[in-house]
PDB file of all heavy atoms in Angstrom:
ATOM      1  N   ILE M   1      57.901  50.241  98.338  1.00  0.00           N
ATOM      2  CA  ILE M   1      58.981  49.340  97.876  1.00  0.00           C
ATOM      3  C   ILE M   1      59.281  49.595  96.381  1.00  0.00           C
ATOM      4  O   ILE M   1      58.445  49.631  95.486  1.00  0.00           O
ATOM      5  CB  ILE M   1      58.480  47.821  98.096  1.00  0.00           C
ATOM      6  CG1 ILE M   1      58.365  47.494  99.608  1.00  0.00           C
ATOM      7  CG2 ILE M   1      59.503  46.899  97.405  1.00  0.00           C
ATOM      8  CD1 ILE M   1      57.655  46.151  99.856  1.00  0.00           C
ATOM      9  N   LYS M   2      60.517  49.769  96.095  1.00  0.00           N
ATOM     10  CA  LYS M   2      61.040  50.088  94.785  1.00  0.00           C
ATOM     11  C   LYS M   2      61.823  48.876  94.086  1.00  0.00           C
ATOM     12  O   LYS M   2      61.979  48.848  92.915  1.00  0.00           O
ATOM     13  CB  LYS M   2      61.920  51.367  94.807  1.00  0.00           C
ATOM     14  CG  LYS M   2      61.197  52.486  95.467  1.00  0.00           C
ATOM     15  CD  LYS M   2      59.955  52.944  94.671  1.00  0.00           C
ATOM     16  CE  LYS M   2      59.245  54.132  95.252  1.00  0.00           C
ATOM     17  NZ  LYS M   2      57.877  54.444  94.685  1.00  0.00           N
ATOM     18  N   ASP M   3      62.584  48.150  95.016  1.00  0.00           N
ATOM     19  CA  ASP M   3      63.425  47.137  94.442  1.00  0.00           C
ATOM     20  C   ASP M   3      62.724  46.118  93.693  1.00  0.00           C
ATOM     21  O   ASP M   3      61.882  45.302  94.181  1.00  0.00           O
ATOM     22  CB  ASP M   3      64.240  46.522  95.631  1.00  0.00           C
ATOM     23  CG  ASP M   3      65.255  45.386  95.212  1.00  0.00           C
ATOM     24  OD1 ASP M   3      65.323  45.310  93.931  1.00  0.00           O
ATOM     25  OD2 ASP M   3      65.905  44.829  96.053  1.00  0.00           O
ATOM     26  N   PRO M   4      62.966  45.936  92.376  1.00  0.00           N
ATOM     27  CA  PRO M   4      62.180  44.891  91.515  1.00  0.00           C
ATOM     28  C   PRO M   4      62.611  43.505  91.917  1.00  0.00           C
ATOM     29  O   PRO M   4      61.913  42.521  91.536  1.00  0.00           O
ATOM     30  CB  PRO M   4      62.548  45.291  90.126  1.00  0.00           C
ATOM     31  CG  PRO M   4      63.905  45.992  90.192  1.00  0.00           C
ATOM     32  CD  PRO M   4      63.791  46.676  91.523  1.00  0.00           C
ATOM     33  N   ASP M   5      63.772  43.317  92.644  1.00  0.00           N
ATOM     34  CA  ASP M   5      64.243  41.998  92.873  1.00  0.00           C
ATOM     35  C   ASP M   5      64.153  41.655  94.363  1.00  0.00           C
ATOM     36  O   ASP M   5      64.707  40.658  94.945  1.00  0.00           O
ATOM     37  CB  ASP M   5      65.768  41.976  92.574  1.00  0.00           C
ATOM     38  CG  ASP M   5      66.008  42.163  91.064  1.00  0.00           C
ATOM     39  OD1 ASP M   5      65.247  41.653  90.239  1.00  0.00           O
ATOM     40  OD2 ASP M   5      66.931  42.957  90.767  1.00  0.00           O
ATOM     41  N   VAL M   6      63.245  42.408  95.104  1.00  0.00           N
ATOM     42  CA  VAL M   6      63.082  42.107  96.539  1.00  0.00           C
ATOM     43  C   VAL M   6      62.476  40.688  96.740  1.00  0.00           C
ATOM     44  O   VAL M   6      61.650  40.241  95.916  1.00  0.00           O
ATOM     45  CB  VAL M   6      62.129  43.237  97.222  1.00  0.00           C
ATOM     46  CG1 VAL M   6      60.701  43.127  96.634  1.00  0.00           C
ATOM     47  CG2 VAL M   6      62.140  43.061  98.728  1.00  0.00           C
ATOM     48  N   LYS M   7      63.032  40.036  97.785  1.00  0.00           N
ATOM     49  CA  LYS M   7      62.580  38.796  98.163  1.00  0.00           C
ATOM     50  C   LYS M   7      62.282  38.597  99.640  1.00  0.00           C
ATOM     51  O   LYS M   7      62.911  39.370 100.474  1.00  0.00           O
ATOM     52  CB  LYS M   7      63.640  37.654  97.860  1.00  0.00           C
ATOM     53  CG  LYS M   7      64.148  37.591  96.443  1.00  0.00           C
ATOM     54  CD  LYS M   7      63.133  36.930  95.533  1.00  0.00           C
ATOM     55  CE  LYS M   7      63.637  36.772  94.088  1.00  0.00           C
ATOM     56  NZ  LYS M   7      62.661  36.117  93.263  1.00  0.00           N
ATOM     57  N   LEU M   8      61.200  37.906  99.937  1.00  0.00           N
ATOM     58  CA  LEU M   8      60.874  37.736 101.440  1.00  0.00           C
ATOM     59  C   LEU M   8      60.493  36.281 101.649  1.00  0.00           C
ATOM     60  O   LEU M   8      59.320  35.972 101.575  1.00  0.00           O
ATOM     61  CB  LEU M   8      59.720  38.674 101.825  1.00  0.00           C
ATOM     62  CG  LEU M   8      59.415  38.676 103.327  1.00  0.00           C
ATOM     63  CD1 LEU M   8      60.381  39.208 104.145  1.00  0.00           C
ATOM     64  CD2 LEU M   8      58.089  39.468 103.530  1.00  0.00           C
ATOM     65  N   PRO M   9      61.396  35.419 101.913  1.00  0.00           N
ATOM     66  CA  PRO M   9      61.009  34.036 102.151  1.00  0.00           C
ATOM     67  C   PRO M   9      60.466  33.783 103.490  1.00  0.00           C
ATOM     68  O   PRO M   9      61.056  34.255 104.508  1.00  0.00           O
ATOM     69  CB  PRO M   9      62.355  33.245 101.935  1.00  0.00           C
ATOM     70  CG  PRO M   9      63.418  34.296 102.298  1.00  0.00           C
ATOM     71  CD  PRO M   9      62.840  35.588 101.843  1.00  0.00           C
ATOM     72  N   LEU M  10      59.332  33.213 103.653  1.00  0.00           N
ATOM     73  CA  LEU M  10      58.589  33.022 104.938  1.00  0.00           C
ATOM     74  C   LEU M  10      57.997  31.618 105.080  1.00  0.00           C
ATOM     75  O   LEU M  10      57.435  31.156 104.092  1.00  0.00           O
ATOM     76  CB  LEU M  10      57.514  34.064 105.040  1.00  0.00           C
ATOM     77  CG  LEU M  10      57.888  35.564 105.192  1.00  0.00           C
ATOM     78  CD1 LEU M  10      56.616  36.406 105.236  1.00  0.00           C
ATOM     79  CD2 LEU M  10      58.627  35.670 106.501  1.00  0.00           C
ATOM     80  N   PRO M  11      58.165  31.011 106.213  1.00  0.00           N
ATOM     81  CA  PRO M  11      57.483  29.792 106.472  1.00  0.00           C
ATOM     82  C   PRO M  11      56.127  29.975 106.894  1.00  0.00           C
ATOM     83  O   PRO M  11      55.765  30.150 108.064  1.00  0.00           O
ATOM     84  CB  PRO M  11      58.256  29.115 107.676  1.00  0.00           C
ATOM     85  CG  PRO M  11      58.771  30.295 108.322  1.00  0.00           C
ATOM     86  CD  PRO M  11      59.100  31.394 107.318  1.00  0.00           C
ATOM     87  N   VAL M  12      55.116  30.094 105.848  1.00  0.00           N
ATOM     88  CA  VAL M  12      53.788  30.645 106.086  1.00  0.00           C
ATOM     89  C   VAL M  12      52.958  29.887 107.071  1.00  0.00           C
ATOM     90  O   VAL M  12      52.143  30.526 107.849  1.00  0.00           O
ATOM     91  CB  VAL M  12      53.046  30.778 104.776  1.00  0.00           C
ATOM     92  CG1 VAL M  12      53.730  31.882 103.847  1.00  0.00           C
ATOM     93  CG2 VAL M  12      52.974  29.538 104.091  1.00  0.00           C
ATOM     94  N   LEU M  13      53.148  28.529 107.104  1.00  0.00           N
ATOM     95  CA  LEU M  13      52.325  27.812 108.052  1.00  0.00           C
ATOM     96  C   LEU M  13      52.737  27.992 109.570  1.00  0.00           C
ATOM     97  O   LEU M  13      52.069  27.611 110.445  1.00  0.00           O
ATOM     98  CB  LEU M  13      52.476  26.269 107.789  1.00  0.00           C
ATOM     99  CG  LEU M  13      51.813  25.864 106.348  1.00  0.00           C
ATOM    100  CD1 LEU M  13      52.020  24.363 106.092  1.00  0.00           C
ATOM    101  CD2 LEU M  13      50.424  26.338 106.190  1.00  0.00           C
ATOM    102  N   SER M  14      53.934  28.642 109.697  1.00  0.00           N
ATOM    103  CA  SER M  14      54.428  28.764 111.121  1.00  0.00           C
ATOM    104  C   SER M  14      54.136  30.272 111.561  1.00  0.00           C
ATOM    105  O   SER M  14      54.452  30.549 112.704  1.00  0.00           O
ATOM    106  CB  SER M  14      55.983  28.514 111.164  1.00  0.00           C
ATOM    107  OG  SER M  14      56.272  27.186 110.845  1.00  0.00           O
ATOM    108  N   ILE M  15      53.562  31.039 110.741  1.00  0.00           N
ATOM    109  CA  ILE M  15      53.196  32.445 111.120  1.00  0.00           C
ATOM    110  C   ILE M  15      52.038  32.309 112.220  1.00  0.00           C
ATOM    111  O   ILE M  15      51.065  31.558 112.058  1.00  0.00           O
ATOM    112  CB  ILE M  15      52.747  33.273 109.924  1.00  0.00           C
ATOM    113  CG1 ILE M  15      53.889  33.493 108.941  1.00  0.00           C
ATOM    114  CG2 ILE M  15      52.077  34.561 110.393  1.00  0.00           C
ATOM    115  CD1 ILE M  15      53.568  34.302 107.716  1.00  0.00           C
ATOM    116  N   LYS M  16      52.257  33.012 113.227  1.00  0.00           N
ATOM    117  CA  LYS M  16      51.272  33.027 114.379  1.00  0.00           C
ATOM    118  C   LYS M  16      50.757  34.381 114.657  1.00  0.00           C
ATOM    119  O   LYS M  16      51.448  35.478 114.590  1.00  0.00           O
ATOM    120  CB  LYS M  16      51.914  32.480 115.629  1.00  0.00           C
ATOM    121  CG  LYS M  16      52.456  31.032 115.407  1.00  0.00           C
ATOM    122  CD  LYS M  16      53.038  30.577 116.754  1.00  0.00           C
ATOM    123  CE  LYS M  16      53.514  29.108 116.638  1.00  0.00           C
ATOM    124  NZ  LYS M  16      54.620  28.931 115.662  1.00  0.00           N
ATOM    125  N   VAL M  17      49.458  34.476 114.986  1.00  0.00           N
ATOM    126  CA  VAL M  17      48.731  35.690 115.221  1.00  0.00           C
ATOM    127  C   VAL M  17      47.981  35.557 116.549  1.00  0.00           C
ATOM    128  O   VAL M  17      47.252  34.592 116.757  1.00  0.00           O
ATOM    129  CB  VAL M  17      47.764  36.082 114.102  1.00  0.00           C
ATOM    130  CG1 VAL M  17      47.158  37.464 114.399  1.00  0.00           C
ATOM    131  CG2 VAL M  17      48.541  36.249 112.728  1.00  0.00           C
ATOM    132  N   ASN M  18      48.170  36.532 117.398  1.00  0.00           N
ATOM    133  CA  ASN M  18      47.318  36.565 118.724  1.00  0.00           C
ATOM    134  C   ASN M  18      45.970  37.176 118.323  1.00  0.00           C
ATOM    135  O   ASN M  18      45.733  38.388 118.742  1.00  0.00           O
ATOM    136  CB  ASN M  18      48.137  37.416 119.753  1.00  0.00           C
ATOM    137  CG  ASN M  18      47.419  37.382 121.038  1.00  0.00           C
ATOM    138  OD1 ASN M  18      46.447  36.635 121.301  1.00  0.00           O
ATOM    139  ND2 ASN M  18      47.862  38.255 121.938  1.00  0.00           N
ATOM    140  N   LEU M  19      45.218  36.459 117.708  1.00  0.00           N
ATOM    141  CA  LEU M  19      44.036  37.000 116.916  1.00  0.00           C
ATOM    142  C   LEU M  19      42.983  37.677 117.811  1.00  0.00           C
ATOM    143  O   LEU M  19      42.274  38.629 117.358  1.00  0.00           O
ATOM    144  CB  LEU M  19      43.327  35.843 116.178  1.00  0.00           C
ATOM    145  CG  LEU M  19      42.409  36.350 114.985  1.00  0.00           C
ATOM    146  CD1 LEU M  19      43.109  37.252 113.966  1.00  0.00           C
ATOM    147  CD2 LEU M  19      41.879  35.130 114.309  1.00  0.00           C
ATOM    148  N   PHE M  20      42.859  37.328 119.011  1.00  0.00           N
ATOM    149  CA  PHE M  20      41.844  37.829 119.860  1.00  0.00           C
ATOM    150  C   PHE M  20      42.392  38.516 121.135  1.00  0.00           C
ATOM    151  O   PHE M  20      41.678  38.855 122.182  1.00  0.00           O
ATOM    152  CB  PHE M  20      40.700  36.905 120.286  1.00  0.00           C
ATOM    153  CG  PHE M  20      39.791  36.496 119.139  1.00  0.00           C
ATOM    154  CD1 PHE M  20      40.068  35.429 118.347  1.00  0.00           C
ATOM    155  CD2 PHE M  20      38.700  37.303 118.866  1.00  0.00           C
ATOM    156  CE1 PHE M  20      39.266  35.165 117.245  1.00  0.00           C
ATOM    157  CE2 PHE M  20      37.832  37.059 117.797  1.00  0.00           C
ATOM    158  CZ  PHE M  20      38.143  35.879 116.964  1.00  0.00           C
ATOM    159  N   GLY M  21      43.702  38.687 121.146  1.00  0.00           N
ATOM    160  CA  GLY M  21      44.341  39.405 122.241  1.00  0.00           C
ATOM    161  C   GLY M  21      44.336  38.721 123.624  1.00  0.00           C
ATOM    162  O   GLY M  21      44.380  39.285 124.629  1.00  0.00           O
ATOM    163  N   THR M  22      44.094  37.296 123.545  1.00  0.00           N
ATOM    164  CA  THR M  22      43.979  36.505 124.735  1.00  0.00           C
ATOM    165  C   THR M  22      45.223  35.728 125.054  1.00  0.00           C
ATOM    166  O   THR M  22      45.327  35.098 126.069  1.00  0.00           O
ATOM    167  CB  THR M  22      42.876  35.453 124.553  1.00  0.00           C
ATOM    168  OG1 THR M  22      43.240  34.593 123.431  1.00  0.00           O
ATOM    169  CG2 THR M  22      41.474  36.144 124.270  1.00  0.00           C
ATOM    170  N   GLY M  23      46.166  35.875 124.213  1.00  0.00           N
ATOM    171  CA  GLY M  23      47.509  35.108 124.356  1.00  0.00           C
ATOM    172  C   GLY M  23      47.533  33.869 123.643  1.00  0.00           C
ATOM    173  O   GLY M  23      48.548  33.226 123.451  1.00  0.00           O
ATOM    174  N   THR M  24      46.378  33.411 123.148  1.00  0.00           N
ATOM    175  CA  THR M  24      46.322  32.129 122.381  1.00  0.00           C
ATOM    176  C   THR M  24      46.728  32.511 120.813  1.00  0.00           C
ATOM    177  O   THR M  24      46.084  33.353 120.242  1.00  0.00           O
ATOM    178  CB  THR M  24      44.843  31.538 122.343  1.00  0.00           C
ATOM    179  OG1 THR M  24      44.564  31.213 123.641  1.00  0.00           O
ATOM    180  CG2 THR M  24      44.828  30.270 121.513  1.00  0.00           C
ATOM    181  N   LEU M  25      47.752  31.832 120.400  1.00  0.00           N
ATOM    182  CA  LEU M  25      48.286  32.163 119.040  1.00  0.00           C
ATOM    183  C   LEU M  25      47.642  31.176 118.014  1.00  0.00           C
ATOM    184  O   LEU M  25      47.588  29.943 118.284  1.00  0.00           O
ATOM    185  CB  LEU M  25      49.798  32.034 119.050  1.00  0.00           C
ATOM    186  CG  LEU M  25      50.509  32.896 119.937  1.00  0.00           C
ATOM    187  CD1 LEU M  25      52.058  32.671 119.861  1.00  0.00           C
ATOM    188  CD2 LEU M  25      50.332  34.372 119.506  1.00  0.00           C
ATOM    189  N   VAL M  26      47.125  31.723 116.943  1.00  0.00           N
ATOM    190  CA  VAL M  26      46.600  30.854 115.839  1.00  0.00           C
ATOM    191  C   VAL M  26      47.642  30.919 114.828  1.00  0.00           C
ATOM    192  O   VAL M  26      48.150  31.941 114.311  1.00  0.00           O
ATOM    193  CB  VAL M  26      45.253  31.625 115.344  1.00  0.00           C
ATOM    194  CG1 VAL M  26      44.707  30.785 114.225  1.00  0.00           C
ATOM    195  CG2 VAL M  26      44.286  31.673 116.477  1.00  0.00           C
ATOM    196  N   ASP M  27      48.049  29.753 114.267  1.00  0.00           N
ATOM    197  CA  ASP M  27      49.122  29.661 113.354  1.00  0.00           C
ATOM    198  C   ASP M  27      48.582  29.515 111.936  1.00  0.00           C
ATOM    199  O   ASP M  27      47.386  29.493 111.636  1.00  0.00           O
ATOM    200  CB  ASP M  27      49.950  28.458 113.624  1.00  0.00           C
ATOM    201  CG  ASP M  27      49.389  27.084 113.465  1.00  0.00           C
ATOM    202  OD1 ASP M  27      48.257  27.045 112.735  1.00  0.00           O
ATOM    203  OD2 ASP M  27      49.779  26.117 114.128  1.00  0.00           O
TER     204      ASP M  27
END
């Protein structure tokens, strides 16, 4: 990444990960 002004707004509490590959999402 080179752009000094890059922005990435994210609703972090809503990020979900299928942490164990079982289909159960952990937010």
Side-chain angles (χ1 to χ4, degrees):
I1 293 173
K2 304 301 181 186
D3 183 2
D5 299 316
V6 66
K7 301 285 186 181
L8 185 68
L10 289 174
V12 292
L13 296 180
S14 297
I15 292 175
K16 298 180 178 66
V17 181
N18 183 11
L19 197 56
F20 287 93
T22 62
T24 299
L25 299 176
V26 180
D27 64 23

